[in-house]
Amino acid sequence: MPQVTVDAIEEVGTRTVALELETPEGFDAEPGQFLLVRATVDGVEETGYYTLSSPDVEGTMEVTVEYVPEGTLAPWLAEREPGDEIEIEGPFGDVRYTGDGDALVVAEGPGIGPAVGIAERAQREGYDATVVFWGEEPPHRTRLDALEDGGATVLLVGSLDEAADTLAAAGDATVYVFGFESFVRDAKTVADAVGVENVRAESFGAR
Ligand SMILES: Cc1cc2nc3c(=O)[nH]c(=O)nc-3n(C[C@H](O)[C@H](O)[C@H](O)COP(=O)(O)OP(=O)(O)OC[C@H]3O[C@@H](n4cnc5c(N)ncnc54)[C@H](O)[C@@H]3O)c2cc1C
């Protein structure tokens, strides 16, 4: 269970922070995979999963944490400072992007983290990237703008039905979904309705 040092922490949206962590020696992972974070908060051991939001783990890696005030681990993570250490395990998860083709990512809430990480990796490798975000004010706005400037498509939707045409035009792109349980279910339903099979989805659990 490696202890990793917090390199930087930045507010990237409403109640959402990006934590940049020093990558431990020998650690390898791809965007879309997640870490288990373990911490003692108010005397109680807490664990949670956080998905990589950086395009790679070279030197440092990033996770994006959305928190609610009544939460436990997530607000604790949002209070970390550079130089603090946190305990992680992993990486975990089969849903990952290895830079091997066009990518279309459908996300809500903190799912925007892996969405930008995957899209940045795709763009860097010379592939098309599309990010569909459910909501009006996505975290990581600066990185989404840079992705758009680089030719990526970024679509903000108020309803997943608005993503149907984009999904129907996915072609050879691998379709990823990141978000909480009901969102993942709804996104799969819309994808299925327009004939997209093999959706690679990671559910963040029930809200
Ligand atoms: C595979 C996987 C990957 C995940 N990746 C991420 C990730 O990249 N980023 C991320 O932020 N989370 C991610 N999660 C969710 C994360 O692990 C925690 O569940 C979340 O941070 C809640 O932490 P907490 O201990 O502060 O809240 P808890 O103490 O568990 O919850 C307190 C109360 O607040 C509610 N609540 C907690 N968080 C939210 C929220 N964001 N919105 C609305 N209600 C909430 C809970 O339902 C509960 O009622 C992932 C989960 C899984 C299973």
Side-chain angles (χ1 to χ4, degrees), residues 15 34 46-52 63-68 70-75 110-111 114 180 202-207:
R15 289 191 277 98
F34 54 91
E46 303 284 348
T47 57
Y49 296 108
Y50 295 94
T51 311
L52 291 175
V63 291
T64 297
V65 180
E66 182 187 89
Y67 60 93
V68 289
E70 65 272 29
T72 45
L73 182 60
F180 291 95
E202 196 66 78
S203 168
F204 291 0
R207 265 203 213 249

Side-chain angles (χ1 to χ4, degrees), residues 45-63:
E45 190 181 285
E46 303 284 348
T47 57
Y49 296 108
Y50 295 94
T51 311
L52 291 175
S53 55
S54 47
D56 59 47
V57 298
E58 304 297 320
T60 61
M61 57 186 171
E62 185 197 81
V63 291

Side-chain angles (χ1 to χ4, degrees), residues 1-5 22-25 27 35-40 45-48 61 85-92:
M1 277 157 266
Q3 297 281 338
V4 294
T5 306
E22 282 177 17
T23 304
E25 194 71 31
F27 181 94
L35 308 175
L36 179 143
V37 174
R38 191 187 300 278
T40 302
E45 190 181 285
E46 303 284 348
T47 57
M61 57 186 171
E85 296 213 318
I86 62 171
E87 188 178 332
I88 63 158
E89 289 175 36
F92 299 104

